[in-house]
PDB file of all heavy atoms in Angstrom:
ATOM      1  N   GLY A 112      98.523  97.064 104.559  1.00 84.00           N
ATOM      2  CA  GLY A 112      99.428  97.464 105.611  1.00 84.00           C
ATOM      3  C   GLY A 112      98.673  97.736 106.887  1.00 84.00           C
ATOM      4  O   GLY A 112      97.624  97.137 107.044  1.00 84.00           O
ATOM      5  N   GLY A 113      99.172  98.547 107.736  1.00 87.00           N
ATOM      6  CA  GLY A 113      98.495  98.872 108.958  1.00 87.00           C
ATOM      7  C   GLY A 113      99.138 100.059 109.677  1.00 87.00           C
ATOM      8  O   GLY A 113     100.237 100.451 109.380  1.00 87.00           O
ATOM      9  N   GLY A 114      98.372 100.603 110.618  1.00 90.00           N
ATOM     10  CA  GLY A 114      98.842 101.744 111.374  1.00 90.00           C
ATOM     11  C   GLY A 114      99.214 102.891 110.472  1.00 90.00           C
ATOM     12  O   GLY A 114      98.461 103.296 109.605  1.00 90.00           O
ATOM     13  N   TYR A 115     100.486 103.363 110.637  1.00 93.00           N
ATOM     14  CA  TYR A 115     100.939 104.485 109.764  1.00 93.00           C
ATOM     15  C   TYR A 115     101.787 104.069 108.568  1.00 93.00           C
ATOM     16  O   TYR A 115     102.443 104.878 107.961  1.00 93.00           O
ATOM     17  CB  TYR A 115     101.702 105.532 110.710  1.00 93.00           C
ATOM     18  CG  TYR A 115     100.758 106.196 111.620  1.00 93.00           C
ATOM     19  CD1 TYR A 115     100.461 105.653 112.865  1.00 93.00           C
ATOM     20  CD2 TYR A 115     100.059 107.335 111.210  1.00 93.00           C
ATOM     21  CE1 TYR A 115      99.547 106.270 113.730  1.00 93.00           C
ATOM     22  CE2 TYR A 115      99.137 107.948 112.042  1.00 93.00           C
ATOM     23  CZ  TYR A 115      98.846 107.378 113.296  1.00 93.00           C
ATOM     24  OH  TYR A 115      97.936 107.945 114.106  1.00 93.00           O
ATOM     25  N   ALA A 116     101.701 102.804 108.292  1.00 96.00           N
ATOM     26  CA  ALA A 116     102.275 102.273 107.106  1.00 96.00           C
ATOM     27  C   ALA A 116     101.207 101.559 106.269  1.00 96.00           C
ATOM     28  O   ALA A 116     101.045 100.348 106.334  1.00 96.00           O
ATOM     29  CB  ALA A 116     103.459 101.332 107.380  1.00 96.00           C
ATOM     30  N   GLN A 117     100.354 102.408 105.641  1.00 95.00           N
ATOM     31  CA  GLN A 117      99.263 101.925 104.853  1.00 95.00           C
ATOM     32  C   GLN A 117      99.291 102.461 103.455  1.00 95.00           C
ATOM     33  O   GLN A 117      99.868 103.517 103.226  1.00 95.00           O
ATOM     34  CB  GLN A 117      97.902 102.281 105.480  1.00 95.00           C
ATOM     35  CG  GLN A 117      97.590 101.651 106.821  1.00 95.00           C
ATOM     36  CD  GLN A 117      96.120 101.969 107.173  1.00 95.00           C
ATOM     37  OE1 GLN A 117      95.214 101.652 106.447  1.00 95.00           O
ATOM     38  NE2 GLN A 117      95.979 102.563 108.365  1.00 95.00           N
ATOM     39  N   VAL A 118      98.571 101.791 102.601  1.00 96.00           N
ATOM     40  CA  VAL A 118      98.301 102.418 101.268  1.00 96.00           C
ATOM     41  C   VAL A 118      96.805 102.773 101.294  1.00 96.00           C
ATOM     42  O   VAL A 118      95.976 102.113 101.928  1.00 96.00           O
ATOM     43  CB  VAL A 118      98.657 101.582 100.026  1.00 96.00           C
ATOM     44  CG1 VAL A 118     100.163 101.463  99.944  1.00 96.00           C
ATOM     45  CG2 VAL A 118      98.042 100.181 100.188  1.00 96.00           C
ATOM     46  N   VAL A 119      96.475 103.848 100.631  1.00 94.00           N
ATOM     47  CA  VAL A 119      95.052 104.442 100.616  1.00 94.00           C
ATOM     48  C   VAL A 119      94.642 104.717  99.188  1.00 94.00           C
ATOM     49  O   VAL A 119      95.497 104.974  98.337  1.00 94.00           O
ATOM     50  CB  VAL A 119      95.026 105.676 101.487  1.00 94.00           C
ATOM     51  CG1 VAL A 119      94.987 105.285 102.965  1.00 94.00           C
ATOM     52  CG2 VAL A 119      96.173 106.619 101.188  1.00 94.00           C
ATOM     53  N   PRO A 120      93.377 104.738  98.887  1.00 93.00           N
ATOM     54  CA  PRO A 120      92.227 104.527  99.786  1.00 93.00           C
ATOM     55  C   PRO A 120      92.042 103.093 100.133  1.00 93.00           C
ATOM     56  O   PRO A 120      91.815 102.193  99.276  1.00 93.00           O
ATOM     57  CB  PRO A 120      91.038 105.021  98.943  1.00 93.00           C
ATOM     58  CG  PRO A 120      91.446 104.841  97.549  1.00 93.00           C
ATOM     59  CD  PRO A 120      92.910 105.005  97.517  1.00 93.00           C
ATOM     60  N   MET A 121      92.131 102.730 101.438  1.00 88.00           N
ATOM     61  CA  MET A 121      92.146 101.348 101.877  1.00 88.00           C
ATOM     62  C   MET A 121      90.778 100.643 101.771  1.00 88.00           C
ATOM     63  O   MET A 121      90.700  99.484 101.466  1.00 88.00           O
ATOM     64  CB  MET A 121      92.740 101.176 103.264  1.00 88.00           C
ATOM     65  CG  MET A 121      91.891 101.644 104.421  1.00 88.00           C
ATOM     66  SD  MET A 121      90.913 100.313 105.161  1.00 88.00           S
ATOM     67  CE  MET A 121      91.982  99.880 106.455  1.00 88.00           C
ATOM     68  N   GLU A 122      89.698 101.388 101.966  1.00 88.00           N
ATOM     69  CA  GLU A 122      88.316 100.845 101.779  1.00 88.00           C
ATOM     70  C   GLU A 122      88.140 100.305 100.414  1.00 88.00           C
ATOM     71  O   GLU A 122      87.789  99.142 100.132  1.00 88.00           O
ATOM     72  CB  GLU A 122      87.249 101.861 102.113  1.00 88.00           C
ATOM     73  CG  GLU A 122      87.183 102.267 103.578  1.00 88.00           C
ATOM     74  CD  GLU A 122      86.188 103.426 103.713  1.00 88.00           C
ATOM     75  OE1 GLU A 122      85.036 103.316 103.294  1.00 88.00           O
ATOM     76  OE2 GLU A 122      86.587 104.446 104.239  1.00 88.00           O
ATOM     77  N   ASP A 123      88.452 101.205  99.431  1.00 91.00           N
ATOM     78  CA  ASP A 123      88.301 100.875  98.032  1.00 91.00           C
ATOM     79  C   ASP A 123      89.159  99.634  97.694  1.00 91.00           C
ATOM     80  O   ASP A 123      88.728  98.694  97.004  1.00 91.00           O
ATOM     81  CB  ASP A 123      88.715 102.014  97.154  1.00 91.00           C
ATOM     82  CG  ASP A 123      87.914 103.234  97.352  1.00 91.00           C
ATOM     83  OD1 ASP A 123      87.569 103.550  98.490  1.00 91.00           O
ATOM     84  OD2 ASP A 123      87.613 103.912  96.324  1.00 91.00           O
TER      85      ASP A 123
END
Side-chain angles (χ1 to χ4, degrees):
Chain A
Y115 292 89
Q117 293 189 57
V118 288
V119 282
M121 72 94 97
E122 289 170 57
D123 299 40

